[in-house]
Amino acid sequence: MSTPQPPGVPDRPAGEAPPGGTQVGTPPTSVPAEEAPPEEDRPSTWQPMLWVKIGLLLLVTAYAIAFVAENGQRIDVHFVFATERVRLIWAILLLLGVGLLGGILLSQLYRHRRRSRLAKQPRK
């Protein structure tokens, strides 16, 4: 009597071993792994894009440090009811933050208005 085979597997005669050299019901034997190639035969581990990214990161860091150092002089910032003497870099960073916050809020306002206009239109 032969054992049923899953679909797509050809039938084998009853005493024949399955492919791979193992008998039915016995654990498969491990196939010996290939030996690692000698050091000179291995592919190069030189990664040019990694070095480009590291170089760009170093350049950006150096530029940021130079930017802060060059903008260290004190300036007068005139608010509506008061005047403060602050370093120029803090004024620049404050304006950058105000600009980012304003951009985010304006994009949300635009998105809200656009969605409300689309909701009022009849669907096709």
Side-chain angles (χ1 to χ4, degrees), residues 12-85:
R12 293 189 298 274
E16 189 176 312
T22 61
Q23 292 289 336
V24 177
T26 61
T29 59
S30 63
V31 178
E34 292 183 23
E35 292 183 24
E39 195 65 36
E40 61 267 4
D41 291 343
R42 288 187 183 170
S44 173
T45 58
W46 168 251
Q47 298 175 355
M49 285 307 295
L50 173 66
W51 290 104
V52 168
K53 289 177 184 178
I54 290 173
L56 286 174
L57 181 64
L58 289 174
L59 283 174
V60 167
T61 303
Y63 180 81
I65 291 170
F67 183 79
V68 170
E70 287 295 319
N71 291 302
Q73 64 267 24
R74 293 193 172 268
I75 60 167
D76 288 331
V77 177
H78 301 281
F79 297 101
V80 176
F81 298 108
T83 299
E84 282 295 319
R85 190 158 180 80

